Amino acid sequence: MEVVIVPDATAGGELIAEAIAALLSRKPDALLGVATGSTPLPIYQALTAKVRSGAVDASRARICQLDEYVGLPAGHPESYRSVVLREVIEPLGLSEKSFMGPDGTADDVQAACEAYDKALTEAGGVDLQLLGIGTDGHIGFNEPCSSLASRTRIKTLTEQTRIDNARFFDDDIDQVPRHVITQGIGTILESRHPVLLATGEGKADAVARTVEGPVASVVPASALQLHQHATVVVDEAAASKLKLADYFRATYAAKPRWQGL
C-alpha cells in the first residue's frame, strides 16, 4: 500500500486525475470504477478539465459503479446511477453505452448482484477503482465486519451511514434507503489499482486504522493492505493521526516520477 499525503482535496483530485489520464493514454478503453459522494468530486472536476482542454481523450473510457441503493425508482436524482451520469458521464462527454452498474430496482436483487459481479469479470476487470472511506472504515457499502472475501451483494446500512447520507436526502433520514447493492471487498480487491481518497479531519481515525492498523473485517478498508498496488491519497487533515506520516511524505518525495501513482 502506498500512502500519499497532499495539501488539500483539490491537490488530491488533481493527482488522481493525472493517474487516470496516464491510464487512458496507455489503455484508451480502460474500465474505471467510480465512487459517489462529495469526496471524489475534485477528481471528476480535474479530469473533466483535462478532457475539455484536449489534454486527455476519454472517448473510449468505460465507467462502472461501485454501489447502488436498493428500491429507489429509476431516475431518482439520488440513485447512484443518476449521480454518476450527472457527475461523471455527462461532464466527460460519454454516453450511457459506456456505463455499467447494478440494478437496484430488480425484483430479484440477489440475481442482480451476481449478474453485475459476472459482468465486471466479462468486461475484463476494473483497471482503476476509485474509493472513498466512511467514518467507520467502510469502503463501498461494506460495513464493519463484512467478509474480506465478499462478492457483489445486498447489504443493510448501519444507522451511522444512513445519518451520514441524509444530507443528500434533504437531511431526512427516513428517505435514505436501508439496503444497497455493493461490490464486495473481494470484488474490489480484484481491481488492478484501487485508489482511495480521504479528506478532512473526520476521516483521520478511519485512515489511521486502515493504513497502520491490522487487517480486520471491523475496518473493511484495511483489506487494501492485501493488494499489491493499492494507493491511499489523503489530505493533511485526514493524515493527522498517522504515526508514520513523515515516512510516507519522505518515500513519496523520493519516488521516481516515471512510476506514476
Side-chain angles (χ1 to χ4, degrees):
M1 176 187 290
E2 179 178 32
V3 179
V4 182
I5 300 174
V6 295
D8 51 35
T10 299
E14 181 64 31
L15 180 66
I16 296 172
E18 289 176 1
I20 295 172
L23 170 62
L24 291 174
S25 70
R26 300 190 306 270
K27 187 177 182 180
D29 64 345
L31 181 58
L32 305 176
V34 297
T36 53
S38 55
T39 299
L41 291 179
I43 303 171
Y44 306 142
Q45 292 162 358
L47 185 60
T48 296
K50 292 179 184 299
V51 169
R52 291 179 176 174
S53 71
V56 177
D57 180 4
S59 61
R60 294 172 57 193
R62 298 171 295 153
I63 306 295
C64 65
Q65 280 179 256
L66 178 62
D67 40 37
E68 179 60 277
Y69 286 117
V70 170
L72 287 185
H76 189 288
E78 295 307 323
S79 75
Y80 285 149
R81 183 177 185 87
S82 294
V83 172
V84 171
L85 288 173
R86 186 169 64 242
E87 296 179 351
V88 182
I89 301 295
E90 293 174 3
L92 294 180
L94 302 176
S95 72
E96 288 195 49
K97 293 181 180 179
S98 67
F99 177 47
M100 58 191 297
D103 184 0
T105 66
D107 291 332
D108 188 338
V109 177
Q110 181 58 38
C113 294
E114 294 171 1
Y116 186 52
D117 207 84
K118 181 179 179 182
L120 292 175
T121 299
E122 292 178 345
V126 180
D127 291 293
L128 188 150
Q129 177 64 60
L130 296 174
L131 300 166
I133 187 170
T135 54
D136 60 3
H138 74 253
I139 50 175
F141 277 119
N142 295 286
E143 300 284 18
C145 293
S146 292
S147 166
L148 301 187
S150 55
R151 310 300 306 179
T152 300
R153 68 213 191 285
I154 185 171
K155 289 290 290 181
T156 300
L157 298 181
T158 65
E159 194 69 4
Q160 183 59 57
T161 296
R162 294 181 70 234
I163 290 170
D164 290 345
N165 286 4
R167 68 188 189 277
F168 299 113
F169 293 84
D170 300 321
D171 290 321
D172 182 0
I173 192 173
D174 291 333
Q175 295 186 43
V176 182
R178 293 184 180 275
H179 298 96
V180 291
I181 294 173
T182 184
Q183 286 187 35
I185 297 173
T187 308
I188 291 170
L189 292 180
E190 287 181 355
S191 63
R192 295 179 181 86
H193 187 191
V195 179
L196 186 152
L197 175 63
T199 56
E201 188 176 359
K203 300 297 177 69
D205 279 326
V207 167
R209 295 170 70 199
T210 292
V211 171
E212 297 178 339
V215 175
S217 63
V218 73
V219 185
S222 67
L224 294 175
Q225 294 181 37
L226 302 173
H227 198 283
Q228 64 180 355
H229 186 202
T231 303
V232 175
V233 179
V234 292
D235 69 359
E236 290 289 349
S240 61
K241 296 192 177 181
L242 289 173
K243 296 177 181 178
L244 297 176
D246 288 344
Y247 170 73
F248 297 137
R249 292 188 183 94
T251 54
Y252 185 69
K255 182 179 180 179
R257 294 300 96 181
W258 54 264
Q259 284 189 330
L261 192 62

